[in-house]
Amino acid sequence: MQSDHECAVNLKRADIEKLVSIKSSRISFKANVSQKSVVWKCFQLLYVDQKYSNFVKCNNCNAIFTWSSHNTGTKSLLRHSPCGKQAETAQADSTKTAQEITAHLVRRIPDQAIFDLNKTILIGLAKDLRPLRTVEGDGFLKIAQSLINFGAKNGKLEVKNIINHRTTLKRSVLRIVVGDIKSEIIESMNSASRFPNFAFSFDMWSEDFRKRQFLSVSVHYFDENFDLKCKLLGVDQFPDQSKTMVNIRREIVKILSSYFDQSKVDQVFENSVSVTDGGSNMIKVFKQHFFCQCHKLNLLLQHAFSDETMKHDRFSTLHGTLHGVKNLVSYFKRSGLNSKLKITLKQAVETRWNSNLIMLESYYKSATEIRSLLIERHEEHRLDEIELSVVEELVHFLKPFRDASEKLSSEKMPTFHLVAMWFHTLEKHLSVRPQDSSVMRGLKDEATKWFNKYCVIEDLHYAASILHPRLAIANVRYLH
């Protein structure tokens, strides 16, 4: 026996409309009481010979629509005017009412209860030696919201009976979570708008403790809705062997093979591009390669501030200031004085982009406070190498490079169209001005030499800039 929603009619929509128009006795209608959407106040299910037909009729204008509880939603019905507007308004009112009730309930939570919860969080962080900024992290907020939702649904429970032991999390839950995420990535990549054309970025590094080497691989692509996606495909330990192009490619193939079968892996390598630093072992892994522009900027600054450059007499003041600030930061961290500053000092790290600027900014903002602390300790001699005016000039010099690297390194938006604009901006920034000190003139000359070597604007950069809708008008004005 057929259920009400089991379709046994093969008539087309035109046939149904004709039968309805002549008021055929074969046609009958029934309200859809099994569905909760308010749209069913405006529509009825249509039956032919007492059998469900996959069609519905508008109560106001008798228009016929295709609808199935298994395959289609109610969007087309909601869009239908005037019935759809009535349904949408009713649905919006219902949603608004629910939101108002929820907001009212939230507002009624006693202030003392909220204070007690935050007090408990504070004590918990202190017990586990976690920084207070933990509460600002997306991970913590996700956990907290999940616990609140769980408690609201299931009532008061003993947390130790709910949260798994770390061994269970590692051996069971983690495997399932990784499998689910990997399945989502596989589905998303296989339905990418330009499969098998992807962009891959990968990098290698070593951890300090056991000196193990790792390789990370990320993929960038537009999904079927043309939204830019960035997915981390793997962070694998690199074998104890030389980091040649062949070995790197072999390890990337292993990672991709966990997402695609071998034929698709070959397709991906044939049609995709890589975006990496300029290492000779990196640029040949894929047939097509683009240099990471942020790596170029970082490389430029590394050369401009290298020991080889700073050893020249014209940079003695600049070198002394940098060396003095680094030594001072180390001393403040070692002695515990850093904790007495409102804005703590940050040390420069060679492998971290813009770290010289971060260090110099932290010193410049706290310079007066630092001097007072050192005078109290009769240690003002630690400032002898540092010239505040040079620190200020260096901060001004380095800021545009940080701005450029931040704008050019986005995971959610394409940035290729910005390369030409930012390189022109930096080129102008490096031009010597009459008010520049001798130190800054020398630094700009040195930086310009490396800028001309690494930061070359190619035709493709200009094309991307001209074709981008937001920059089109600006480019036309610039050309005129």
Side-chain angles (χ1 to χ4, degrees), residues 132-141:
L132 294 180
R133 65 173 177 271
T134 300
V135 300
E136 299 173 359
D138 291 339
F140 176 86
L141 294 175

PDB file of all heavy atoms in Angstrom, residues 132-141:
ATOM      1  N   LEU A 132      45.524  34.343  30.427  1.00  0.00           N
ATOM      2  CA  LEU A 132      44.150  34.851  30.385  1.00  0.00           C
ATOM      3  C   LEU A 132      43.637  35.026  28.964  1.00  0.00           C
ATOM      4  O   LEU A 132      42.428  34.971  28.721  1.00  0.00           O
ATOM      5  CB  LEU A 132      44.065  36.187  31.145  1.00  0.00           C
ATOM      6  CG  LEU A 132      44.324  36.123  32.654  1.00  0.00           C
ATOM      7  CD1 LEU A 132      44.198  37.515  33.259  1.00  0.00           C
ATOM      8  CD2 LEU A 132      43.374  35.155  33.334  1.00  0.00           C
ATOM      9  N   ARG A 133      44.556  35.229  28.026  1.00  0.00           N
ATOM     10  CA  ARG A 133      44.111  35.398  26.630  1.00  0.00           C
ATOM     11  C   ARG A 133      43.504  34.109  26.068  1.00  0.00           C
ATOM     12  O   ARG A 133      42.936  34.120  24.957  1.00  0.00           O
ATOM     13  CB  ARG A 133      45.267  35.854  25.748  1.00  0.00           C
ATOM     14  CG  ARG A 133      46.395  34.855  25.588  1.00  0.00           C
ATOM     15  CD  ARG A 133      47.408  35.338  24.547  1.00  0.00           C
ATOM     16  NE  ARG A 133      48.530  34.430  24.422  1.00  0.00           N
ATOM     17  CZ  ARG A 133      49.639  34.485  25.134  1.00  0.00           C
ATOM     18  NH1 ARG A 133      49.777  35.451  26.040  1.00  0.00           N
ATOM     19  NH2 ARG A 133      50.612  33.601  24.964  1.00  0.00           N
ATOM     20  N   THR A 134      43.614  33.000  26.817  1.00  0.00           N
ATOM     21  CA  THR A 134      42.994  31.742  26.378  1.00  0.00           C
ATOM     22  C   THR A 134      41.506  31.929  26.114  1.00  0.00           C
ATOM     23  O   THR A 134      40.946  31.344  25.187  1.00  0.00           O
ATOM     24  CB  THR A 134      43.201  30.651  27.454  1.00  0.00           C
ATOM     25  OG1 THR A 134      44.605  30.450  27.658  1.00  0.00           O
ATOM     26  CG2 THR A 134      42.570  29.332  27.026  1.00  0.00           C
ATOM     27  N   VAL A 135      40.840  32.772  26.933  1.00  0.00           N
ATOM     28  CA  VAL A 135      39.388  32.947  26.800  1.00  0.00           C
ATOM     29  C   VAL A 135      39.017  33.660  25.507  1.00  0.00           C
ATOM     30  O   VAL A 135      37.840  33.669  25.123  1.00  0.00           O
ATOM     31  CB  VAL A 135      38.808  33.728  28.005  1.00  0.00           C
ATOM     32  CG1 VAL A 135      39.083  32.986  29.297  1.00  0.00           C
ATOM     33  CG2 VAL A 135      39.374  35.153  28.084  1.00  0.00           C
ATOM     34  N   GLU A 136      39.990  34.248  24.825  1.00  0.00           N
ATOM     35  CA  GLU A 136      39.718  34.954  23.572  1.00  0.00           C
ATOM     36  C   GLU A 136      39.881  34.050  22.357  1.00  0.00           C
ATOM     37  O   GLU A 136      39.536  34.430  21.242  1.00  0.00           O
ATOM     38  CB  GLU A 136      40.652  36.163  23.441  1.00  0.00           C
ATOM     39  CG  GLU A 136      40.492  37.182  24.564  1.00  0.00           C
ATOM     40  CD  GLU A 136      41.549  38.275  24.505  1.00  0.00           C
ATOM     41  OE1 GLU A 136      42.402  38.219  23.599  1.00  0.00           O
ATOM     42  OE2 GLU A 136      41.523  39.170  25.362  1.00  0.00           O
ATOM     43  N   GLY A 137      40.419  32.856  22.574  1.00  0.00           N
ATOM     44  CA  GLY A 137      40.677  31.952  21.456  1.00  0.00           C
ATOM     45  C   GLY A 137      39.409  31.301  20.932  1.00  0.00           C
ATOM     46  O   GLY A 137      38.477  30.998  21.687  1.00  0.00           O
ATOM     47  N   ASP A 138      39.373  31.071  19.619  1.00  0.00           N
ATOM     48  CA  ASP A 138      38.208  30.433  19.005  1.00  0.00           C
ATOM     49  C   ASP A 138      37.987  29.031  19.570  1.00  0.00           C
ATOM     50  O   ASP A 138      36.843  28.589  19.735  1.00  0.00           O
ATOM     51  CB  ASP A 138      38.394  30.355  17.484  1.00  0.00           C
ATOM     52  CG  ASP A 138      38.345  31.719  16.825  1.00  0.00           C
ATOM     53  OD1 ASP A 138      37.779  32.644  17.438  1.00  0.00           O
ATOM     54  OD2 ASP A 138      38.864  31.876  15.708  1.00  0.00           O
ATOM     55  N   GLY A 139      39.088  28.331  19.867  1.00  0.00           N
ATOM     56  CA  GLY A 139      38.965  26.979  20.396  1.00  0.00           C
ATOM     57  C   GLY A 139      38.297  26.952  21.752  1.00  0.00           C
ATOM     58  O   GLY A 139      37.387  26.141  22.009  1.00  0.00           O
ATOM     59  N   PHE A 140      38.723  27.832  22.649  1.00  0.00           N
ATOM     60  CA  PHE A 140      38.123  27.897  23.984  1.00  0.00           C
ATOM     61  C   PHE A 140      36.645  28.258  23.896  1.00  0.00           C
ATOM     62  O   PHE A 140      35.802  27.662  24.572  1.00  0.00           O
ATOM     63  CB  PHE A 140      38.859  28.925  24.849  1.00  0.00           C
ATOM     64  CG  PHE A 140      38.244  29.129  26.209  1.00  0.00           C
ATOM     65  CD1 PHE A 140      38.584  28.304  27.271  1.00  0.00           C
ATOM     66  CD2 PHE A 140      37.308  30.131  26.431  1.00  0.00           C
ATOM     67  CE1 PHE A 140      38.011  28.477  28.523  1.00  0.00           C
ATOM     68  CE2 PHE A 140      36.730  30.314  27.671  1.00  0.00           C
ATOM     69  CZ  PHE A 140      37.089  29.485  28.723  1.00  0.00           C
ATOM     70  N   LEU A 141      36.314  29.250  23.069  1.00  0.00           N
ATOM     71  CA  LEU A 141      34.925  29.682  22.929  1.00  0.00           C
ATOM     72  C   LEU A 141      34.059  28.558  22.368  1.00  0.00           C
ATOM     73  O   LEU A 141      32.894  28.397  22.760  1.00  0.00           O
ATOM     74  CB  LEU A 141      34.848  30.916  22.035  1.00  0.00           C
ATOM     75  CG  LEU A 141      35.508  32.183  22.599  1.00  0.00           C
ATOM     76  CD1 LEU A 141      35.480  33.305  21.568  1.00  0.00           C
ATOM     77  CD2 LEU A 141      34.816  32.633  23.884  1.00  0.00           C
TER      78      LEU A 141
END
